């Protein structure tokens, strides 16, 4: 009977807990509902603070509750700090800003903090005008982007200009793709600086290290995907530019041949017309000459006949 009375008393409904406990539970509910990582950490932080206050002031120092929620509080503060630092606006110089906005970064959804880590690994180099960055048969060992200046892509012994590589474009994207596909990254063309140029380069060991470290959620993975997308687009643009340049060159050759053909025909027609004109002019002169010769013969006959007549007279 006493046991039943005790159990009956223990199972009686109690009054709702303190509002600090209710607030902490509400924050936990919010943390399950939100999708943003930052909002999740803030909700968990608020819940820890509410439970610590509830254990200290309402439960009169429930030590285990205070210790556990203090540990949760410190973990969430650490994550909130790093999330806030990653979201801060990262500034670049003029060239870094151009690369991030136009080539590698914003278009591939890479954060400014992730791009800054990659950009700081690059080496800046100056190429003088008319100096060769690469020659046919040379092995490629880096991936470069032109910051200032312009490169010319030349082919053959006559150094025919296929196309130009302008600022904020990859220099050796074709060789990078070849290396990734297991082929030797060897240049088949010559690359000459048409103007005083500046480039930023990343060596293959650096890039391969980024590829090896690429995992879900890391900045290396974002950079790897960005490089793959941007180099593919760069190769496509270069092929289109090369096709337009070759077509323009052939058009100029055809126009030159057509112009020479028309000039040749014009000169031939002029020579033919001049010959025909000269023939027409010479024909009457011959007839006239014949007439003069006939007159002279007649005069000689007349003089001879007159002399004979005069000799016959006694």
């Amino acid at each position: 009977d006493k046991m039943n009375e005790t159990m009956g008393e223990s199972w009686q409904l109690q009054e709702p807990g303190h509002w600090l406990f209710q607030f902490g539970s509400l924050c936990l509910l919010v943390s399950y509902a939100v999708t943003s990582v930052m909002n999740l950490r803030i909700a968990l932080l608020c819940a820890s603070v509410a439970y610590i206050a509830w254990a200290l002031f309402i439960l009169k120092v429930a030590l285990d509750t205070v210790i556990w929620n203090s540990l949760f509080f410190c973990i969430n503060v650490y994550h909130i700090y790093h999330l806030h630092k990653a979201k801060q606006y990262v500034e670049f110089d003029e060239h870094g800003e151009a690369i991030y906005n136009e080539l590698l970064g914003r278009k591939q959804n890479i954060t400014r903090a992730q791009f800054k880590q990659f950009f700081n690994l690059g080496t800046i180099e100056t190429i003088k005008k008319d100096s060769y960055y690469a020659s046919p048969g040379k092995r490629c060992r880096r991936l470069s982007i032109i910051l200032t200046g312009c490169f010319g892509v030349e082919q053959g012994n006559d150094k025919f200009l296929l196309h130009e590589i302008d600022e904020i474009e990859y220099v050796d994207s074709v060789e990078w793709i070849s290396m990734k596909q297991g082929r030797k990254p060897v240049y088949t063309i010559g690359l000459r600086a048409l103007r005083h140029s500046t480039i930023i380069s990343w060596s293959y060991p650096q890039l391969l290290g980024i590829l090896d470290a690429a995992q879900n959620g890391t900045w290396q993975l974002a950079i790897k995907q960005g490089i793959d997308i941007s180099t593919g687009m760069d190769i496509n643009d270069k092929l289109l530019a090369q096709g337009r340049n070759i077509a323009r060159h052939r058009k100029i050759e055809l126009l030159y041949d057509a112009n020479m053909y028309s000039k040749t025909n014009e000169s031939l027609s002029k020579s033919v017309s001049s010959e025909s004109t000269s023939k027409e002019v010479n024909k009457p002169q011959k007839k006239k000459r014949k007439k003069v010769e006939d007159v002279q013969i007649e005069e000689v006959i007349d003089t001879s006949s007159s002399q004979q007549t005069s000799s016959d007279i006694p």
Side-chain angles (χ1 to χ4, degrees):
D1 294 337
K2 289 184 178 180
M3 184 178 294
N4 292 333
E5 291 177 359
T6 304
M7 292 180 63
E9 291 177 358
S10 62
W11 284 98
Q12 289 180 357
L13 292 175
Q14 302 293 327
E15 293 182 358
H18 194 267
W19 69 269
L20 285 173
F21 176 79
Q22 305 300 335
F23 179 74
S25 300
L26 179 63
C27 290
L28 288 178
L29 177 64
V30 171
S31 69
Y32 287 114
V34 296
T35 56
S36 171
V37 178
M38 176 66 82
N39 294 335
L40 168 67
R41 293 296 176 182
I42 292 174
L44 292 175
L45 181 70
C46 294
S48 299
V49 171
Y51 284 138
I52 290 170
W54 174 64
L56 285 175
F57 302 113
I58 305 305
L59 299 183
K60 304 301 181 182
V61 189
L63 188 60
D64 54 348
T65 305
V66 173
I67 292 174
W68 280 111
N69 284 280
S70 297
L71 179 61
F72 300 153
F73 174 83
C74 294
I75 292 172
N76 286 304
V77 166
Y78 172 81
H79 283 291
I80 289 172
Y81 169 76
H82 282 280
L83 288 171
H84 176 70
K85 187 177 179 181
K87 283 191 172 183
Q88 284 182 337
Y89 187 81
V90 180
E91 292 185 355
F92 309 120
D93 59 12
E94 179 184 358
H95 305 307
E97 196 73 34
I99 294 175
Y100 179 77
N101 290 325
E102 300 176 20
L103 185 64
L104 176 64
R106 187 184 302 277
K107 294 181 179 180
Q108 294 82 27
N109 295 322
I110 298 173
T111 65
R112 300 181 70 89
Q114 291 171 339
F115 176 76
K116 187 174 181 62
Q117 288 180 286
F118 174 70
F119 187 76
N120 290 339
L121 297 175
T123 303
I124 296 178
E125 181 181 351
T126 300
I127 309 294
K128 294 182 179 180
K129 182 181 178 181
D130 292 330
S131 299
Y132 275 88
Y133 170 86
S135 56
K138 181 181 177 181
R139 188 181 180 92
C140 180
R141 303 183 185 276
R142 56 181 172 173
L143 180 65
S144 303
I145 298 174
I146 297 180
L147 300 179
T148 60
C150 179
F151 279 13
V153 180
E154 299 175 344
Q155 187 179 42
N157 296 328
D158 56 349
K159 297 181 180 179
F160 173 71
L161 184 64
L162 293 175
H163 62 89
E164 296 181 0
I165 305 176
D166 295 322
E167 296 179 358
I168 316 302
E169 290 185 3
Y170 286 106
V171 178
D172 22 39
S173 53
V174 176
E175 289 72 23
W176 167 252
I177 296 296
S178 298
M179 188 275 297
K180 287 193 63 181
Q181 292 177 349
R183 300 194 299 268
K184 286 186 178 181
V186 178
Y187 294 102
T188 59
I189 41 82
L191 295 169
R192 180 172 60 91
L194 303 180
R195 297 195 298 270
H196 191 77
S197 304
T198 306
I199 63 172
I200 182 170
S201 304
W202 295 267
S203 64
Y204 278 1
Q206 286 178 317
L207 296 173
L208 293 176
I210 291 175
L211 297 182
D212 294 337
Q215 298 176 358
N216 292 332
T218 61
W219 69 270
Q220 290 92 341
L221 177 62
I223 294 298
K224 172 184 176 298
Q225 294 173 346
I227 291 176
D228 291 341
I229 295 171
S230 58
T231 51
M233 294 175 63
D234 182 77
I235 291 173
N236 181 64
D237 294 340
K238 283 183 171 59
L239 289 174
L240 291 175
Q242 179 177 325
R244 286 194 296 266
N245 194 30
I246 292 175
R248 189 183 304 113
H249 182 74
R250 288 180 178 175
K251 185 177 180 181
I252 291 172
E253 287 183 345
L254 291 173
L255 289 174
Y256 177 78
D257 293 340
N259 189 22
M260 292 299 295
Y261 179 76
S262 62
K263 285 184 178 179
T264 304
N265 286 341
E266 186 178 353
S267 62
L268 287 173
S269 62
K270 284 183 179 179
S271 62
V272 170
S273 62
S274 62
E275 288 179 0
S276 61
T277 305
S278 63
K279 287 181 181 179
E280 290 177 357
V281 170
N282 292 332
K283 282 181 181 179
Q285 290 178 355
K286 288 181 180 180
K287 291 182 179 179
K288 188 175 182 181
R289 189 175 300 168
K290 286 182 179 180
K291 290 181 179 180
V292 170
E293 291 176 355
D294 294 340
V295 170
Q296 291 176 351
I297 291 169
E298 289 177 357
E299 289 178 353
V300 170
I301 293 171
D302 292 338
T303 53
S304 61
S305 60
S306 61
Q307 289 176 0
Q308 186 175 0
T309 306
S310 60
S311 63
D312 293 338
I313 299 172

